[in-house]
Amino acid sequence: ALHCAMNDLQSGKCELALVCGSSIFLEPAVTLAFNRLKMLSPDGFCKTFDKSANGYTRAEGIVSILLTTNSKFIKYTPHANVLASDINTCG
C-alpha cells in the first residue's frame, strides 16, 4: 500500500494518500500453542540479542499514515520523509 501510494503521489495522480495496516490476532490457537511450547516471554518483554532473553512477545497493532507532497500540510503536523519503497514477494 505504501509503495502504491508513493507511486501515485510521485506521478501526480493524487496530492494526499492514506496508507493503513493492521496485525490483529483474532484466533488464540497460535498464541496458546506458542505458550505451551514455552516460546513466549513470561514477563511480556522481548529482549532480542540480550542475555536475559526468555522468549518473544506477540503484538497487535494498527497504523495509519497520511502521505502528501503538499508542503502546506508539512508545516502544521509532525512529519517524516519516506526515502524509498518497493514491493517484494517470495512466491
Side-chain angles (χ1 to χ4, degrees), residues 14-35:
C14 63
E15 190 177 86
L16 291 170
L18 183 62
V19 178
C20 304
S22 65
S23 175
I24 301 174
F25 306 126
L26 299 174
E27 172 58 49
V30 174
T31 301
L32 292 172
F34 286 175
N35 190 48

Side-chain angles (χ1 to χ4, degrees), residues 12-75:
K13 287 184 181 178
C14 63
E15 190 177 86
L16 291 170
L18 183 62
V19 178
C20 304
S22 65
S23 175
I24 301 174
F25 306 126
L26 299 174
E27 172 58 49
V30 174
T31 301
L32 292 172
F34 286 175
N35 190 48
R36 281 188 214 106
L37 294 170
K38 307 288 188 220
M39 294 171 57
L40 300 179
S41 174
D43 59 13
F45 292 97
C46 189
K47 300 173 280 263
T48 306
F49 307 115
D50 189 80
K51 66 181 176 181
S52 64
N54 59 358
Y56 85 105
T57 304
R58 299 188 81 200
E60 297 177 311
I62 297 174
V63 64
S64 296
I65 303 169
L66 179 65
L67 302 171
T68 184
T69 56
N70 192 326
S71 61
K72 75 178 182 180
F73 291 103
I74 294 172
K75 63 184 174 182

